[in-house]
Amino acid sequence: MRLVIKVGSNVLTRNDGKLDITRMSAIVDQIAALRRAGHEVVLVSSGAVASGRGELKVGHRLDSVEQRQLFSAIGQVKLINLYYSLFREYGIPVGQVLTMKESFATRREYLNQRACMAVMLDNGVIPIVNENDTVSVTELMFTDNDELSGLIAAMTDAGALVILSNVDGIFDAPPGTPGARLIERVEPGCDLGGCIGREKSGFGRGGMLTKCAIARKVAAEGIRVVIANGRRDNILTDLVERPDATPHTEFAPNSEPASTMKKWIAHSASFAKGVVRVNAKAAQALRGDRAVSLLLVGVTAVEGDFEEGDIITIAAEDGTPVGVGRTAYGAADARRLMGTHDVRPLVHYDYLCLE
């Protein structure tokens, strides 16, 4: 099985904010064991900023962006060299993949990155993926590496995504609260209600709310998702060898995996170049049980400036999101033809992903 394993900052970081090399070494040991058992692994690893923080003492005040850029630039070198040295003990080659959110914006860039990781995996190399914090613009950054790992899992057609955090999974009350119970399995469509807190992790940019949203999206694409505690000894091997005895939350995958095109579109909402609003009848048809395309007869408004092949947002007349899709028309032609019968769909079903 192909596994995407995401290791968060709170797993790799000590209480003083510096890199926990002992924990990092233990994770490498477990990944090596998974490889021996026949699994392919893509590692999405945080930790560059924590790694760099211990390498340099700055004599003047830096703002948050300057700190991220400086410490990640220094720390990424140390981080990948540590991984290189640790995996080398097992004779496992690794390769660094630094990426940015905007690098997934077009289909060409997406496929280029997919081909890069495919050739690495085909040749026995473990891709170690991280966001390129040194040059990423804040407004265009991933929410955190949870979002990146979900995109990587979809892009590489992984069988499972394992998100390692500093808690055992999702609880029905804040962890540590008396009587709080671990939710072991989340079925498609299950409402978690108020179970998930909005607090962010101590050293990362995300939190359990982000993890849950990403897990739902990836599971809907037919990929099994597990959230578990990366600080537990042997957590990765235990999840594979004795899952019933290992605390974790599993998001059950959709029984009908999405196509590679739909997987890309599902993660492309933030790249939308425009919005089309549809009437109530069209919104109802799109949300129904039948597979339907978005027809121009149901479009009531076209906003923004987009070209054929761009990603657009589809919204109801009140602005409620309906989905995203790859448009078959530019904005000017869509405005000219909206409300028209007997023309090709604005968004074909094969290029449509619903909320």
Side-chain angles (χ1 to χ4, degrees):
M1 179 187 292
R2 180 172 294 171
L3 305 172
V4 173
I5 298 170
K6 183 264 178 177
V7 186
S9 296
N10 270 356
V11 176
L12 293 177
T13 306
R14 303 184 320 205
N15 292 334
D16 62 3
K18 295 180 181 179
L19 196 66
D20 187 341
I21 298 175
T22 301
R23 180 66 59 195
M24 185 174 169
S25 178
I27 288 169
V28 168
D29 293 342
Q30 295 172 70
I31 292 175
L34 294 177
R35 286 261 302 206
R36 288 195 299 271
H39 298 285
E40 287 185 328
V41 175
V42 177
L43 178 59
V44 179
S45 177
S46 304
V49 173
S51 181
R53 189 177 282 119
E55 292 296 303
L56 184 69
K57 290 185 178 180
V58 181
H60 58 283
R61 186 177 180 85
L62 299 173
D63 64 32
S64 59
V65 174
E66 289 174 330
Q67 287 187 49
R68 189 189 75 239
Q69 290 177 322
L70 176 62
F71 292 141
S72 64
I74 298 169
Q76 188 63 38
V77 177
K78 180 180 178 181
L79 185 70
I80 197 66
N81 272 289
L82 280 169
Y83 275 126
Y84 170 81
S85 297
L86 292 168
F87 277 111
R88 189 182 185 187
E89 294 180 13
Y90 293 99
I92 299 174
V94 300
Q96 178 176 250
V97 179
L98 293 178
T99 189
M100 298 183 294
K101 190 169 187 176
E102 58 206 272
S103 299
F104 294 88
T106 70
R107 183 68 174 163
R108 177 178 293 178
E109 290 174 300
Y110 179 87
L111 292 176
N112 186 45
Q113 292 186 86
R114 186 182 183 207
C116 170
M117 288 196 215
V119 74
M120 293 171 75
L121 290 168
D122 289 345
N123 287 278
V125 178
I126 293 181
I128 300 179
V129 188
N130 198 2
E131 183 169 14
N132 192 351
D133 287 343
T134 57
V135 294
S136 291
V137 179
T138 302
E139 293 77 10
L140 295 176
M141 293 180 73
F142 290 104
T143 306
D144 65 358
N145 273 350
D146 296 319
E147 184 182 2
L148 174 58
S149 68
L151 211 161
I152 296 296
M155 185 175 72
T156 58
D157 293 325
L161 167 63
V162 180
I163 299 175
L164 295 183
S165 183
N166 61 341
V167 292
D168 287 331
I170 297 173
F171 289 78
D172 59 4
T177 302
R181 182 180 61 86
L182 178 67
I183 300 172
E184 296 180 349
R185 187 174 173 87
V186 179
E187 298 291 344
C190 175
D191 182 13
L192 294 174
C195 298
I196 308 168
R198 293 182 176 271
E199 298 83 5
K200 292 185 177 180
S201 56
F203 294 106
R205 296 198 303 269
M208 195 53 72
L209 192 66
T210 302
K211 289 175 175 57
C212 183
I214 295 301
R216 282 189 179 281
K217 179 177 288 187
V218 174
E221 295 161 6
I223 300 170
R224 177 174 171 251
V225 183
V226 170
I227 299 175
N229 191 340
R231 292 183 174 178
R232 282 185 174 270
D233 292 341
N234 302 315
I235 184 63
L236 291 172
T237 50
D238 284 350
L239 284 169
V240 172
E241 295 171 0
R242 52 191 195 98
D244 293 342
T246 306
H248 67 280
T249 297
E250 176 178 340
F251 286 75
N254 191 317
S255 58
E256 298 181 5
S259 68
T260 56
M261 174 63 75
K262 287 202 175 220
K263 286 177 181 177
W264 170 60
I265 292 171
H267 293 268
S268 298
S270 58
F271 306 126
K273 298 291 183 65
V275 178
V276 296
R277 296 183 185 269
V278 299
N279 59 32
K281 185 175 180 180
Q284 183 179 12
L286 290 170
R287 290 168 172 155
D289 295 332
R290 294 178 57 200
V292 297
S293 301
L294 173 58
L295 304 179
L296 278 157
V297 66
V299 175
T300 59
V302 176
E303 303 169 8
D305 184 18
F306 52 85
E307 299 178 359
E308 179 182 348
D310 283 343
I311 299 296
I312 57 172
T313 298
I314 302 160
E317 289 184 300
D318 63 359
T320 304
V322 175
V324 293
R326 192 180 191 187
T327 176
Y329 294 84
D333 286 337
R335 289 190 185 94
R336 178 173 57 84
L337 294 170
M338 65 182 186
T340 304
H341 288 274
D342 300 326
V343 292
R344 76 180 190 276
L346 177 61
V347 180
H348 189 276
Y349 174 77
D350 290 342
Y351 306 103
L352 175 66
C353 183
L354 302 173
E355 290 287 324

